[in-house]
C-alpha cells in the first residue's frame, strides 16, 4: 500500500522534514530508503491502521517546545522504580517527552568516554552514529520502515571498549496531552568487552485520548560485551504501542532483552536479534499482563549467522478479562551456524473464559548441525492452589493475585532491584478487583 | 464450652456420602486425636470444616464458638480462627516461603513486619527447618517431611483457635516428629489452641499426649475416650472397636 494513501505524504515531504531538522544528508537518504521500502512491503493491518492516525503534520512541522510539570515527572520516574529525589543520583538518564529529548544527565562517566546524548544532536555530532544508525535496523518490515522514515528524538548511548557500567542507565519516555505521538529512536553501542544495563520506561502520566508510540531501538553488542535491556510499557489510556527493536551481537557477546507490557490499548512488539559472531548469545523475553480488552502481539526473532550461538525466546504472559495475546516466535539458523542451540518457550496463564492466547512458533534451519526446540503451555489458575490460599484467610482475588505474582516472579527476581519492586506493585494494582 | 462442635454431620463428596453423622468436639487448649483406618473419612472431616470446594454438607452442622460456620467461605473460617495442616499441600510456584509466612503473621498476630519476621524465624527453627527455607518457593521441590513441617509453621503463623492437623506425623523421621510435637505443644500451651490431630499411627504420643481421642470408622465416630483409647488401638488395632 502506498505511503501517500496511508499518510498523505510524499517523498519530498520527507526530504523537507529532514532539511528542517538540519540533518546530515545520510539521514535523509535512510529516511527515503524507508519510504521506498514501504511502497513495496506487503500491508500489515496491525501497523498500517494505527500509523494512519499518527499526527504526521506535527512531525513534519519539526519540533515544538514541550514543558512537563513536576507532577508528571515524578510519576514517570516512579514507574521505573526511581524515587524523584534520587533521580539526580542516578548514573545517567534521559527524558524524552513526545518527540523531544528534554533532559540528559550523565554523572562521572563522561571521563570514561561514555556518551548519553539526544539522538537529534548525535546524528550531527558523532561520526560513529552514521556507521550504525539504520544499519542494524533496516526497513525490512512495515513497522521498521515507518519508524525509520518518521523518527524524531530519542537518545544515543555509547559505552567504549572495556567499560563496564555497574549501574543501569535510564531512558524515560513520556507522551503528554492528547492526539500526540512518539517516534523516538534509541541507538545503543556497547563496544568490545564493555557492559551496560539500559532500563527504559514508557508512560503517559495523564490519560491520553489517543496516541501512537512508534519508538525504535537499535543495539550493537561488541565482542564479549554484554547488554541487558529492560523496556517497561505502562501507558495509561488508549495508547497504541508499536516499538520496533533490532540488535546485533558479535563474538562471545551477550544480549538480554526483556520487554514488559502492562498498559496501552493495543501492543505490537517487534524484536529481532542477529547473532553474527561465534558463540554469541541472545535471550528475548516477553512479559505481559493483559487486562480488560487489551490486544497484544509479540514478534520475537533470533537469527543465528555464526557457529556456536545460543538463543532463547521466552514468553510469560497473563491474559485476563477479554484481553487477547498472540505470540510469534521465530528461530533461524543460517548456513554455517553450526552447533547453534536455540530454545523457544511460552507460558501463558488465562484468568478468564473470554481471555484468548495464540502461539505461533517457527523454526527455520539451513544447517544440519543445529539444536532447536520449542515448548508451550497454557494454563489456568489451579482451583486447588486457590482454595489452599483461601484456607489461610486470603480472599479469592488476593489468592489469585499471589499466584499471578508467583507466575511472574522468575522474571521479576532477575530485574534490577528497584524495577522489580515497581513491577510487582504494578501487577498487584492491576489485579485488584479481579 | 467446646470451641469446635461437629453435630450429626453428613457430607457428600462427588455424590457419594462419606461422612454419615459425625459428632465431635474440641475444646480450648485440648489435644484430641482422631484415629481410624484409611478411608474412614478423617481427611474429609478436615476439608469440610475448612470449607474446601466439593465437600457438600447434606445434614448437620459445624459450630465454632457456638456459631454455625458451614455456610461461610474458607477465608472467613480462617479469619475466625480455623486453620488446617494438610497432608499433601500444593506447590506455589514463585511464592516465597518467607513472604507468605510474613503476610500471615502480620495479619493473624497483628504485628509489624519486623516482628513478623522474628516470629516466622522462631517457628521455622521450632519445627527444625533451616532458615534458608525462607528464600525457597513454597513447597516447590520439598520432601514429604519438609512439607509437613512447613504446614505446621503455617498453622502457627495463623495463630488459630482450632487447628486441624491431617497426619502431621506420617512420612517424617523421629527428629522431625519431635519438632512437630513441639509445635503442637506450643499451640496448646502458649496459644490455647484446640488441636484435632488425625493420625493412624500412635507414635506421636511419645511427644504429645492426647487429652482425648475419637475413633472413626465408615464415616462415623464409633468410640471416644481418654488417652487409654489410643493405647488400646495401638495394641489391638481397629478390630477392638468394630461393632
Amino acid at each position: 500500500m502506498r505511503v501517500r494513501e496511508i499518510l498523505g505524504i510524499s517523498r519530498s515531504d520527507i526530504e523537507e522534514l529532514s532539511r528542517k531538522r538540519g540533518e546530515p544528508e545520510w539521514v535523509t537518504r535512510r529516511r527515503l530508503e524507508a519510504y521506498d521500502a514501504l511502497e513495496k512491503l506487503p500491508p500489515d493491518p496491525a501497523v498500517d491502521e494505527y500509523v494512519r492516525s499518527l499526527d504526521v503534520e506535527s512531525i513534519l512541522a519539526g519540533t515544538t517546545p514541550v514543558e512537563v510539570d513536576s507532577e508528571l515527572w515524578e510519576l514517570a520516574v516512579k514507574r521505573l522504580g526511581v524515587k524523584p529525589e534520587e533521580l539526580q543520583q542516578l548514573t545517567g538518564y534521559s527524558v524524552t517527552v513526545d518527540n523531544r529529548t528534554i533532559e540528559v544527565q550523565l554523572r562521572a562517566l563522561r571521563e570514561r568516554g561514555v556518551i548519553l546524548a539526544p539522538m537529534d544532536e548525535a546524528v550531527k555530532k558523532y561520526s560513529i552514529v552514521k556507521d550504525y544508525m539504520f544499519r542494524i535496523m533496516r526497513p525490512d518490515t512495515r513497522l521498521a520502515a515507518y519508524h525509520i522514515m518518521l523518527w524524531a528524538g530519542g537518545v544515543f548511548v555509547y559505552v567504549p571498549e572495556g567499560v563496564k557500567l555497574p549501574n543501569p542507565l535510564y531512558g524515560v519516555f513520556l507522551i503528554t496531552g492528547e492526539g500526540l505521538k512518539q517516534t523516538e529512536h534509541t541507538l545503543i553501542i556497547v563496544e568490545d568487552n564493555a557492559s551496560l544495563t539500559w532500563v527504559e520506561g514508557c508512560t503517559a502520566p495523564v490519560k491520553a485520548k489517543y496516541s501512537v508510540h512508534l519508538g525504535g531501538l537499535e543495539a550493537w553488542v561488541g565482542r564479549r560485551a554484554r547488554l541487558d535491556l529492560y523496556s517497561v510499557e505502562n501507558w495509561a489510556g488508549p495508547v497504541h504501542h508499536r516499538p520496533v527493536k533490532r540488535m546485533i551481537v558479535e563474538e562471545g557477546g551477550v544480549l538480554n532483552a526483556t520487554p514488559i507490557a502492562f498498559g496501552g490499548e493495543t501492543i505490537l512488539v517487534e524484536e529481532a536479534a542477529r547473532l553474527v559472531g561465534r558463540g554469541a548469545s541472545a535471550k528475548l523475553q516477553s512479559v505481559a499482563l493483559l487486562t480488560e480488552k487489551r490486544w497484544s502481539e509479540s514478534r520475537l526473532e533470533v537469527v543465528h549467522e555464526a557457529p556456536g550461538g545460543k538463543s532463547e525466546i521466552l514468553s510469560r504472559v497473563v491474559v485476563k478479562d477479554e484481553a487477547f495475546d498472540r505470540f510469534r516466535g521465530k528461530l533461524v539458523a543460517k548456513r554455517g551456524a553450526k552447533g547453534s542451540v536455540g530454545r523457544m518457550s511460552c507460558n501463558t496463564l488465562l484468568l478468564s473464559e473470554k481471555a484468548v492466547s495464540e502461539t505461533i512458533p517457527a523454526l527455520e534451519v539451513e544447517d544440519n548441525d543445529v539444536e532447536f526446540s520449542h515448548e508451550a503451555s497454557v494454563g489456568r489458575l489451579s482451583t486447588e492452589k486457590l482454595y489452599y490460599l483461601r484456607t489461610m484467610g486470603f480472599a479469592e482475588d488476593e489468592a489469585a493475585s499471589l499466584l499471578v505474582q508467583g507466575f511472574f516472579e522468575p522474571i521479576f527476581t532477575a530485574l534490577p532491584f528497584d524495577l522489580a519492586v515497581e513491577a510487582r506493585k504494578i501487577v498487584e494494582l492491576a489485579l485488584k478487583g479481579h | 464450652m467446646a470451641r469446635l462442635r461437629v453435630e450429626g454431620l453428613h457430607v457428600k463428596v462427588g455424590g457419594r456420602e462419606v461422612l454419615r453423622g459425625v459428632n465431635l468436639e474440641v475444646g480450648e487448649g485440648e489435644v484430641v486425636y482422631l484415629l481410624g483406618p484409611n478411608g474412614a473419612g478423617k481427611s474429609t472431616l478436615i476439608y469440610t470444616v475448612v470449607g474446601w470446594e466439593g465437600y457438600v454438607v447434606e445434614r448437620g452442622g459445624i459450630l465454632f464458638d457456638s456459631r454455625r460456620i458451614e455456610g461461610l467461605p474458607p477465608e472467613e473460617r480462617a479469619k475466625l480462627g480455623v486453620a488446617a495442616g494438610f497432608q499433601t499441600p500444593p506447590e506455589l510456584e514463585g511464592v516465597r516461603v518467607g513472604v507468605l509466612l510474613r503476610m500471615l503473621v502480620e495479619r493473624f498476630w497483628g504485628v509489624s513486619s519486623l516482628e513478623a519476621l522474628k516470629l516466622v524465624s522462631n517457628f521455622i527453627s521450632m519445627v527444625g527447618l533451616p532458615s534458608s527455607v525462607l528464600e525457597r518457593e513454597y513447597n516447590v521441590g520439598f520432601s514429604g517431611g519438609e512439607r509437613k513441617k512447613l504446614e505446621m509453621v503455617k498453622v502457627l503463623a495463623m495463630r488459630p483457635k482450632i487447628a486441624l492437623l491431617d497426619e502431621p506425623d506420617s512420612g517424617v523421621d523421629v527428629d522431625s516428629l519431635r519438632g512437630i510435637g513441639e509445635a503442637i505443644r506450643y499451640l496448646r500451651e502458649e496459644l490455647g489452641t484446640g488441636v484435632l490431630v488425625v493420625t493412624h499411627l500412635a507414635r506421636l504420643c511419645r511427644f504429645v499426649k492426647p487429652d482425648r481421642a475419637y475413633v472413626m470408622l465408615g464415616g462415623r465416630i464409633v468410640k471416644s475416650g481418654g488417652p487409654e483409647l489410643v493405647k488400646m488401638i495401638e495394641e489391638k488395632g481397629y478390630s477392638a472397636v468394630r461393632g
Side-chain angles (χ1 to χ4, degrees), chain A residues 291-321:
Chain A
T291 56
E292 298 165 20
K293 290 187 172 175
R294 295 206 162 79
W295 179 96
S296 170
E297 179 169 323
S298 302
R299 299 173 182 171
L300 306 181
E301 178 180 309
V302 178
V303 182
H304 290 254
E305 299 180 16
K310 239 180 90 179
S311 68
E312 279 182 292
I313 296 181
L314 309 173
S315 162
R316 196 167 274 257
V317 178
V318 173
V319 195
K320 192 176 171 255
D321 307 323

Side-chain angles (χ1 to χ4, degrees), chain A residues 194-222:
Chain A
S195 76
L196 168 70
T197 299
W198 176 250
V199 180
E200 55 179 21
C202 298
T203 184
V206 171
K207 271 197 179 183
K209 273 197 179 153
Y210 188 95
S211 298
V212 178
H213 170 90
L214 187 63
L217 180 145
E218 288 176 283
W220 187 82
V221 183

Side-chain angles (χ1 to χ4, degrees), chain A residues 316 382-399 401-410 413 417 424 428, chain B residues 50-53 73-76 78-79 82-84 86 88-96 100 103-104 107-108 138-139 151 154 158:
Chain A
R316 196 167 274 257
S382 127
T383 314
E384 186 198 9
K385 292 173 189 177
L386 284 171
Y387 263 90
Y388 181 61
L389 286 164
R390 289 177 70 189
T391 64
M392 296 183 206
F394 295 105
E396 201 173 350
D397 61 336
E398 289 177 315
S401 175
L402 278 167
L403 294 176
V404 171
Q405 301 245 28
F407 178 79
F408 283 125
E409 203 46 35
T413 44
F417 183 78
R424 288 186 188 107
E428 202 184 325
Chain B
V50 298
W52 204 276
E53 188 188 39
E75 56 271 32
E76 294 307 321
K79 284 179 195 159
V82 179
F86 298 103
T88 48
E91 298 185 348
L92 305 178
E93 294 84 359
V95 178
R96 272 191 298 155
L100 189 61
M103 285 171 85
L104 291 177
R107 287 178 181 212
F108 287 100
Y138 205 93
N139 280 336
E151 278 298 279
K154 178 199 81 179
M158 289 173 69

Side-chain angles (χ1 to χ4, degrees), chain A residues 113-115 157-161 163-165 189-191 194-196:
Chain A
V114 177
I115 299 169
V157 188
Y158 179 81
V159 186
E161 187 172 344
V163 174
K164 293 184 174 13
L165 301 186
I189 299 172
V190 187
E191 294 279 18
S195 76
L196 168 70

